[in-house]
Amino acid sequence: MLILLPILAIICAPALWLVLGRPRFLAKVGSDEEATIKVSVVIPARDEEINIGALLDSLNAQTRPAHEVIVVDDGSSDRTAEIAREKGARVISGKELPDGWNGKPWACTQGAEAATGDWYLFLDADTRLAPDALSKLVGAAWRNGGAVSVCPHHQVEQPYEELSVFFNVMMLAGVNAFGFCEEEACALFGQCLLISAEDYELVGGHESVKGKVLENFYLADQLSRCGVARECYVGLRAVWMRMFPEGFDQLYSSWMKGFAAGAGHAAARAIVFSSIWLTGAMLAMVGLFIAPFVGVTCAALCVTTYLLYVGQCLWVFRLAGSFSQWNAWLFPISLLFYQWTFFSALRAHKQGRKVKWKGREVG
């Protein structure tokens, strides 16, 4: 009966290709009409002194300059605003958070109200752009119409950041935009989102998702209802992010926040296929552990199945970020951390506990 473990794992393996088998990347295709587009960059920032300077440096180095760069200082207690001004950004001091609003939608709303461009590019403060990224984003928006979003490539610099890998992979899969069974109504990535001022106002802007933490999913729903197209891209070589420079606690709290906020809002098909693949990976892990204690045939199949998942991890981890090869070979470590965080968030939700993020509670 134990031979069923690797067999089931092999059956589950193709699920990865069904959700991530057709990734799209930003490409440079210019036109004279694109040059007339004025892009206002809006950056919501709360205690981002570690990140904000690098992002603004990357914006200042663009081959296609932005019309303006607006940093909304969301009650920072550090040097975020000072650094932003030093880098040439227009800094807006965020107003007090109203009842019923979450911090990021409120900051984005204030930034959009101050913007004078005809397109808005919303960027998280921990993102970075390659010199031609803005040009590529505008080109994609011009070709496809509607909103364009990019999942930034996760830049890993410290060993503890390797634990983030399955979260990043599931973030890619969760938008339902890169699979062979792709739905037309894909979601959006909130870290890098380009949208016309006209479409933004049509859906009611971030005010329409004011109480949401994973506002990108809900904003995608609003755009879908209004018939606005959405396009998603993988950020490899164009847009990247350094998510957790402050340590393991920041990493853990961030992903707890994502689960607590209802990551299950992802498309049902994406959740099903992602869950099937994760189940297969768990079975492959168990199969490797039992391999020394079973017959030769079963052991060989268990090891082969594990290597199959290592191969998949080598490919998909590279798609999500600069994760090391040893992370793929030892994928059970990151996978168990992912599962632990998931069930911890589920338990916290059932107990009515809230997660703290940058001094604010997230439920």
Side-chain angles (χ1 to χ4, degrees), residues 62-76:
Q62 291 300 299
T63 57
R64 184 197 196 284
H67 171 64
E68 61 186 343
V69 177
I70 300 170
V71 173
V72 183
D73 181 25
D74 184 20
S76 297

Side-chain angles (χ1 to χ4, degrees), residues 8-281:
L8 288 173
I10 291 171
I11 292 173
C12 291
L16 178 65
W17 313 118
L18 293 177
V19 288
L20 287 174
R22 293 192 305 175
R24 285 190 295 275
F25 305 94
L26 288 169
K28 181 68 177 77
V29 180
S31 70
D32 293 338
E33 291 85 354
E34 290 175 25
T36 64
I37 294 177
K38 296 188 297 183
V39 179
S40 294
V41 178
V42 177
I43 306 167
R46 179 176 173 85
D47 293 336
E48 293 286 358
E49 67 176 3
I50 294 177
N51 289 311
I52 196 69
L55 170 56
L56 294 174
D57 284 341
S58 73
L59 287 168
N60 291 334
Q62 291 300 299
T63 57
R64 184 197 196 284
H67 171 64
E68 61 186 343
V69 177
I70 300 170
V71 173
V72 183
D73 181 25
D74 184 20
S76 297
S77 59
D78 60 9
R79 298 180 62 247
T80 296
E82 181 183 344
I83 295 171
R85 290 191 183 95
E86 291 173 356
K87 299 292 183 179
R90 176 186 172 192
V91 178
I92 297 174
S93 296
K95 299 176 183 177
E96 186 177 347
L97 187 67
D99 291 339
W101 284 78
N102 278 330
K104 184 178 177 180
W106 177 232
C108 288
T109 296
Q110 294 174 84
E113 289 175 350
T116 59
D118 41 31
W119 283 75
Y120 303 150
L121 175 59
F122 295 97
L123 292 173
D124 280 4
D126 59 3
T127 56
R128 315 281 187 271
L129 274 64
D132 60 350
L134 184 53
S135 179
K136 289 179 177 180
L137 282 163
V138 171
W142 188 261
R143 290 192 307 274
N144 302 321
V148 170
S149 72
V150 178
C151 182
H153 200 245
H154 188 173
Q155 288 295 113
V156 176
E157 297 185 14
Q158 297 296 329
Y160 67 84
E161 296 174 87
E162 297 281 351
L163 293 171
S164 181
V165 65
F166 277 96
F167 300 93
N168 288 103
V169 171
M170 291 301 106
M171 184 165 61
L172 275 173
V175 297
N176 198 38
F178 305 123
F180 289 100
C181 297
E182 167 187 344
E183 291 183 3
E184 291 185 4
C186 66
L188 294 169
F189 297 110
Q191 303 99 320
C192 178
L193 170 62
L194 179 63
I195 184 172
S196 71
E198 181 180 358
D199 287 339
Y200 186 76
E201 293 168 5
L202 176 66
V203 300
H206 279 86
E207 185 175 1
S208 65
V209 293
K210 63 182 182 181
K212 308 300 182 183
V213 176
L214 297 178
E215 77 291 334
N216 48 306
F217 285 103
Y218 297 93
L219 191 59
D221 288 344
Q222 300 284 30
L223 291 167
S224 179
R225 294 189 189 99
C226 294
V228 178
R230 279 97 46 226
E231 284 286 340
C232 294
Y233 295 88
V234 177
L236 184 65
R237 293 184 294 276
V239 182
W240 61 93
M241 59 186 170
R242 177 81 200 285
M243 294 185 73
F244 311 115
E246 298 177 35
F248 173 80
D249 288 344
Q250 184 189 28
L251 181 152
Y252 183 69
S253 297
S254 176
W255 293 123
M256 282 285 287
K257 176 192 70 168
F259 282 131
H265 190 72
R269 183 152 49 186
I271 292 174
V272 169
F273 287 133
S274 296
S275 298
I276 289 173
W277 183 68
L278 290 174
T279 299

Side-chain angles (χ1 to χ4, degrees), residues 277-287 309 331 335-336 339:
W277 183 68
L278 290 174
T279 299
M282 291 291 291
L283 292 172
M285 176 188 70
V286 174
Y309 276 85
F331 73 82
L335 180 57
L336 289 172
Q339 299 287 11

